[in-house]
Amino acid sequence: MKHSDVIIIGGGLVGMTLALALDRHGLSSAVVDAADLPATIAPGFDGRASAIASASARMLRAIGLWEAIEPHGCAIDEIRVTDGLSPLHLHFDSRDADTGPLGYMFENRVLRTALLAAAAQAANLSVHAPARTTAVERGATGARVTLDDGTVLAAPLVVAADGRRSPLREAAGIRVGQWRYPHTAIVTMIEHERSHGGVAFELFYPSGPFAILPMKATGDAAPGTRSAIVWSVGSDDAPAYLGLPPRALAAEIAKRMGGFLGEVTLIAPATSYPLGFHHAESYVGERLVLVGDAAHGIHPIAGQGLNMGLRDVASLAEVLVDGARLGLDLGDPQLLARYQTWRRLDNGLVASVTDALNRLFAIPGRPAAAARRLGLAAVERIPPLKRFFMAEARGETGDLPKLLQGLTV
Amino acid sequence: MKASEAPAPAMTDASIDPREVALFGGIAAEWWDPKGSSRLLHAINPARLAYIRGQALDHFGRDERARAPFGGLRALDVGCGGGLLCEPLARMGFAVTGLDAAPENVAVATRHAADMGLAIDYRAGSAEALAEAMPGGFHLITCLEVVEHVADLGAFLGALERLLAPGGLLVFSTPNRTPQSYAVLIVGAERVLKTIPEGAHDWNKFLTPDELTAALRTAGLSVRHVTGLGYALSRGFAIGGDTSINYIGAATRA
Ligand SMILES: Cc1cc2nc3c(=O)[nH]c(=O)nc-3n(C[C@H](O)[C@H](O)[C@H](O)COP(=O)(O)OP(=O)(O)OC[C@H]3O[C@@H](n4cnc5c(N)ncnc54)[C@H](O)[C@@H]3O)c2cc1C
């Protein structure tokens, strides 16, 4: 039997970051993943890119991951939100305030590569992958996880970081509130003629948002000429778009961009993700906590999904490190309750704002469009509102855990 | 369990009150149920542990970021109950002895520690008897919510003084004797909310900080620090400020 402080089921972006944050504070984890993790960094496995809000970036710095990823990141200096191609826009410009970028764009592959390399070096971390769990037992005095190769892991706490379908959450009987949007996200990468200048564009169309997210150019491409596309289309229309030859799809994309970045070429195959919303009714069970997509999933409109998961990591790491120093059982219901209270309200807030935003922009017709434009213009002109949205984009609302302030616990 | 059915304590020592021992022995099985009759103790534990850790870090000059900073030091928890304090102290690095007058408690504590994989030396008996066996044996002695239950305070505190190693630290906590503590602990917690077993406290035996400080001094111990242990709706139990309901403090040899 192998003992550790926590057993983390799911070594995705959230689960692995948690394991490393704990390692930095001397807490040990056993990470179990059903996937062959080195395969998850092969080109083509996950073509998505993620926005890392500046608070999340501070945590990655504090736990020593930043150096490896920084050269591959693109700073987001400004976010422009517009109703379609309307010239009236809301923009959040970090250069106004001189407080550093709002966030950074990374390919998920870059993040995964850095996490796996750090995990291989970490003293208090063991990775079991690919491995399936054949039994997960949680009881009064501890938890035990049996793997299909016969390994038995023991710890006072099990963390479910096993993604949005979380088998662990299901088995624990924790219910989720959820719905599907009638939309699908088409995700791809483009090269364009003119520089994005560090601006993230969110264009709202009745079928959903169209996001152009600035990426660091690769190879000998001119700086600023690569962007990630997250394009929400009606689910019924998705197969038709995905069936288009690359040039034709590039033309569709260029049409929605209104040509402001010049000529567009597709540089990655387009993939699609059904869009949904889910929120677990509870983040905790007996010797169990949920983090990341296992606990919540939102519309990718605001690029906050992973950031919410990283905020879970920062809070849970702080709760566990504090608890360990007090000598508490890490499965103590009080510790778990502290984590749940800290995170659930904040996540619920982000989730409902995102959902409302998405619904608001999905209402067709001219009056609705006029109201939206007025709304955007209002936020633009009212500094406190604007500051709130800026802080949200940076991931700086709520009671900030130490790691998100760039400090260790 | 009624007092008349209580087993006689293993040793008849001046400080042990058989009626008190019976009450706490009777809830032995519930010590580790965070929703049972000990839920208040579970809720208050993190605040108390933070105080003990902070005082001990200062006193022994250990690293505050270490997970188990107290290696090489021996700790004694007097009135250990089911081991709610002993187990965390063991994880902090102390070699821990737990002492309780009720053998049922010691049995529960011993079994629980074994289940958790912790090596803790639990003993049933009195402080006086242990002081005979292990004089000067402990660098840290904790004695939380105990002095209000003992029959002979002077004898009890004298025993603690003898158990303390040279340069050692005593941490104590107990309810204050004020109208507020009567309202909160006796009427509120015992009778209305039932978060504490009814009859657990005799308000007349509560000591004010001044009275306890004087009694400790008589026993040769000098109080270094006293603070309140209070409850705020927003934060739960927390250390600091108001001592009118419950207080916690630290003492060393005078
Ligand atoms: C189109 C799209 C765009 C997005 N864009 C952004 C963005 O720009 N910014 C942002 O912050 N977020 C974004 N998100 C959200 C973000 O991708 C997720 O929130 C994030 O990846 C969640 O990470 P996770 O580790 O919780 O879950 P996952 O990445 O799903 O990881 C779960 C892991 O658990 C493993 N697993 C599952 N079941 C088991 C099992 N039974 N046993 C063992 N292992 C198991 C899996 O193999 C996997 O490795 C986007 C999402 C979508 C769909």
Side-chain angles (χ1 to χ4, degrees):
Chain A
M1 194 142 59
K2 293 188 176 144
H3 289 267
S4 58
D5 288 315
V6 296
I7 299 167
I8 301 173
I9 309 291
L13 296 177
V14 173
M16 205 57 101
T17 308
L18 175 65
L20 287 165
L22 293 175
D23 170 74
R24 295 302 185 255
H25 294 89
L27 270 62
S28 60
S29 350
V31 179
V32 179
D33 204 296
D36 177 16
L37 292 176
T40 65
I41 57 179
F45 175 84
D46 180 356
R48 278 180 297 164
S50 294
I52 299 288
S54 60
S56 303
R58 278 199 288 274
M59 169 165 76
L60 298 182
R61 242 180 230 123
I63 63 177
L65 285 169
W66 191 248
E67 282 183 5
I69 61 173
E70 186 177 22
H72 309 285
C74 178
I76 304 171
D77 290 315
E78 184 182 342
I79 299 175
R80 265 186 225 165
V81 184
T82 64
D83 191 12
L85 289 170
S86 135
L88 241 184
H89 62 228
L90 171 60
H91 78 140
F92 302 110
D93 193 337
S94 65
R95 287 165 298 211
D96 291 349
D98 197 26
T99 43
L102 295 160
Y104 303 83
M105 286 300 302
F106 290 99
E107 282 165 271
N108 283 2
R109 196 156 62 86
V110 166
L111 300 175
R112 288 185 203 281
T113 305
L115 286 168
L116 291 183
Q121 299 291 317
N124 308 303
L125 202 166
S126 68
V127 178
H128 304 265
R132 299 212 157 261
T133 58
T134 54
V136 178
E137 298 154 275
R138 298 177 284 113
T141 55
R144 243 186 349 204
V145 172
T146 311
L147 306 182
D148 52 4
D149 66 358
T151 307
V152 181
L153 306 170
L157 181 65
V158 177
V159 180
D162 49 355
R164 66 194 172 107
R165 271 191 284 273
S166 181
L168 215 52
R169 180 191 67 212
E170 301 279 300
I174 297 175
R175 293 193 301 177
V176 284
Q178 60 186 328
W179 58 80
R180 271 290 178 81
Y181 294 106
H183 302 138
T184 295
I186 295 180
V187 178
T188 188
M189 200 72 80
I190 59 169
E191 243 168 37
H192 37 79
E193 234 176 340
R194 285 200 273 283
S195 170
H196 49 57
V199 181
F201 300 91
E202 298 262 7
L203 316 180
F204 283 89
Y205 287 102
S207 66
F210 182 98
I212 309 158
L213 307 160
M215 300 294 296
K216 181 123 178 175
T218 48
D220 10 295
T225 55
R226 190 167 71 122
S227 291
I229 298 293
V230 181
W231 175 20
S232 162
V233 302
S235 293
D236 297 342
D237 302 331
Y241 285 121
L242 290 166
L244 291 175
R247 272 167 160 250
L249 186 59
E252 287 293 330
I253 288 172
K255 195 165 94 193
R256 278 163 188 81
M257 290 171 54
F260 63 88
L261 293 177
E263 198 76 27
V264 168
T265 30
L266 231 51
I267 55 168
T271 49
S272 70
Y273 297 88
L275 296 179
F277 169 95
H278 67 271
H279 201 194
E281 271 182 5
S282 168
Y283 284 10
V284 302
E286 184 175 37
R287 296 192 180 276
L288 176 71
V289 303
L290 313 184
V291 293
D293 279 16
H296 45 72
I298 60 171
H299 194 288
I301 177 177
Q304 290 299 325
L306 175 60
N307 288 305
M308 286 164 77
L310 294 177
R311 284 154 83 158
D312 295 346
V313 166
S315 306
L316 183 59
E318 184 164 332
V319 165
L320 293 179
V321 171
D322 282 351
R325 288 189 187 149
L326 293 184
L328 293 173
D329 174 348
L330 294 182
D332 188 321
Q334 289 189 80
L335 289 180
L336 309 190
R338 182 178 164 214
Y339 164 72
Q340 151 137 311
T341 313
W342 203 348
R343 290 307 306 147
R344 209 170 172 282
L345 187 68
D346 183 32
N347 283 336
L349 192 70
V350 176
S352 53
V353 168
T354 308
D355 183 55
L357 212 58
N358 190 53
R359 281 167 194 269
L360 174 68
F361 279 98
I363 302 169
R366 288 227 272 170
R372 287 196 292 269
R373 285 171 196 184
L374 263 174
L376 289 182
V379 175
E380 179 66 34
R381 295 217 184 91
I382 302 171
L385 261 184
K386 197 163 160 173
R387 273 198 297 275
F388 172 79
F389 280 104
M390 287 271 268
E392 191 61 56
R394 289 179 189 275
E396 287 172 349
T397 52
D399 184 4
L400 272 197
K402 292 203 178 70
L403 282 167
L404 293 183
Q405 303 171 39
L407 307 169
T408 49
V409 182
Chain B
M1 195 187 294
K2 283 202 221 79
S4 57
E5 298 163 6
M11 278 161 274
T12 43
D13 292 277
S15 73
I16 293 180
D17 179 337
R19 206 175 48 91
E20 298 271 7
V21 173
L23 177 77
F24 287 102
I27 60 166
E30 288 198 47
W31 281 112
W32 286 99
D33 177 1
K35 297 193 184 78
S37 60
S38 303
R39 64 186 179 276
L40 202 62
L41 282 180
H42 284 270
I44 212 168
N45 221 17
R48 307 200 305 193
L49 288 164
Y51 182 83
I52 295 168
R53 185 175 193 270
Q55 289 292 322
L57 283 174
D58 269 4
H59 187 78
F60 300 110
R62 301 286 168 117
D63 173 10
E64 62 158 346
R65 290 167 72 92
R67 179 161 180 189
F70 303 114
L73 298 177
R74 286 187 306 278
L76 169 68
D77 183 35
V78 179
C80 65
L84 261 59
L85 206 67
C86 287
E87 292 193 5
L89 291 176
R91 291 193 192 94
M92 287 184 202
F94 288 107
V96 180
T97 298
L99 181 69
D100 202 284
E104 303 94 303
N105 287 343
V106 167
V108 169
T110 304
R111 200 171 58 227
H112 196 270
D115 286 345
M116 302 303 289
L118 295 168
I120 295 171
D121 170 24
Y122 284 111
R123 297 169 182 228
S126 70
E128 291 93 318
L130 191 64
E132 295 279 302
M134 302 179 73
F138 302 96
H139 303 97
L140 172 74
I141 297 178
T142 53
C143 172
L144 307 188
E145 314 302 307
V146 175
V147 294
E148 71 273 23
H149 299 292
V150 303
D152 182 341
L153 185 66
F156 178 72
L157 297 181
L160 297 191
E161 192 274 338
R162 291 196 297 284
L163 284 161
L164 206 59
L169 179 72
L170 168 72
V171 176
F172 54 86
S173 79
T174 191
N176 200 343
R177 195 177 68 255
T178 60
Q180 291 94 314
S181 73
Y182 189 84
V184 170
L185 294 173
I186 308 293
V187 180
E190 287 193 17
R191 296 192 192 146
V192 180
L193 298 171
K194 307 218 179 287
T195 45
I196 298 179
E198 191 159 351
H201 290 119
D202 176 356
W203 183 79
N204 293 304
K205 278 167 81 177
F206 290 1
L207 299 163
T208 66
D210 285 348
E211 289 164 352
L212 183 56
T213 300
L216 283 164
R217 176 153 294 277
T218 306
L221 294 165
S222 149
V223 172
R224 305 287 172 191
H225 185 257
V226 175
T227 186
L229 184 51
Y231 184 81
L233 270 182
S234 55
R235 296 176 302 162
F237 287 95
I239 295 291
D242 182 14
T243 58
S244 68
I245 294 170
N246 215 293
Y247 58 95
I248 188 164
T252 56
R253 249 206 207 87

